Amino acid sequence: MQEIIEQLKSDLNDKEQELLLNDVDITNLPEANGENPIHTALLVASKLGLNIEERDIVSAERVGARRISAADPVTTPGLLPIRPRRLVVRLARRDLRDRMLASARSRRGATSADLDLPGPPMRFYVNERLTKQNGQLFRQAREIGNRLGWKYIWTRRGRILARQKPGDSVCLIRSEVDLRQIFETPTKSCK
């Protein structure tokens, strides 16, 4: 019975992840009061060298809890959060999302300079959006992998993948059980 429940949970997570295949997460992007998230997403796309239009964005919004800064509002007007909330952008087509991710990879180190955002320029990151379960699993995999010296741990289309070193086979991580099996005996569990 427990196996069936775990399988159903896994299937639900896979379906949820499939619904997020057109979404990207933009993190560490300065946030201001009254900003237009769609405009901000267009600015980021432009900074990454993509020419997309407003109609290519289905939705864009800041998600997460807003943490108020203890900074003096007189010296830092418009800056509220200590750490800006992430900007979640849903694009109209998957190929746009893939192009945005590829552009972000090729322009690593892009900053918020020239985006007319408040505060000093900050390096921002564009990643594919993961379900809560996959996000937690990915963080755990990176922590364990870094501790054990694994060179590559990444996501592709919502799947968590790992490779110990170049030339090794790629391991698919779908659950905490996979984490234990893969990182304890990497050569036996990867296909």
Side-chain angles (χ1 to χ4, degrees), residues 161-173:
L161 305 167
R163 176 183 290 161
Q164 191 166 12
K165 58 186 184 274
D168 284 356
S169 57
V170 175
C171 303
L172 174 64
I173 301 171

Side-chain angles (χ1 to χ4, degrees), residues 136-152:
Q136 291 170 346
L137 194 60
F138 182 53
R139 277 188 291 284
Q140 288 176 345
R142 284 182 42 198
E143 287 171 8
I144 294 169
N146 287 337
R147 192 173 58 241
L148 297 176
W150 281 58
K151 187 147 175 82
Y152 307 102

Side-chain angles (χ1 to χ4, degrees), residues 18-48:
E18 198 174 305
L19 293 174
L20 300 178
L21 285 179
N22 286 3
D23 295 10
V24 293
D25 267 342
I26 304 171
T27 56
N28 209 38
L29 196 62
E31 180 178 2
N33 278 332
E35 75 178 357
N36 180 344
I38 291 178
H39 178 70
T40 305
L42 289 170
L43 288 173
V44 168
S46 176
K47 178 85 175 189
L48 295 175

Side-chain angles (χ1 to χ4, degrees), residues 144 148 150 177-187 189:
I144 294 169
L148 297 176
W150 281 58
V177 172
D178 291 342
L179 280 177
R180 287 189 295 275
Q181 289 175 347
I182 289 168
F183 290 115
E184 288 174 6
T185 57
T187 54
S189 5

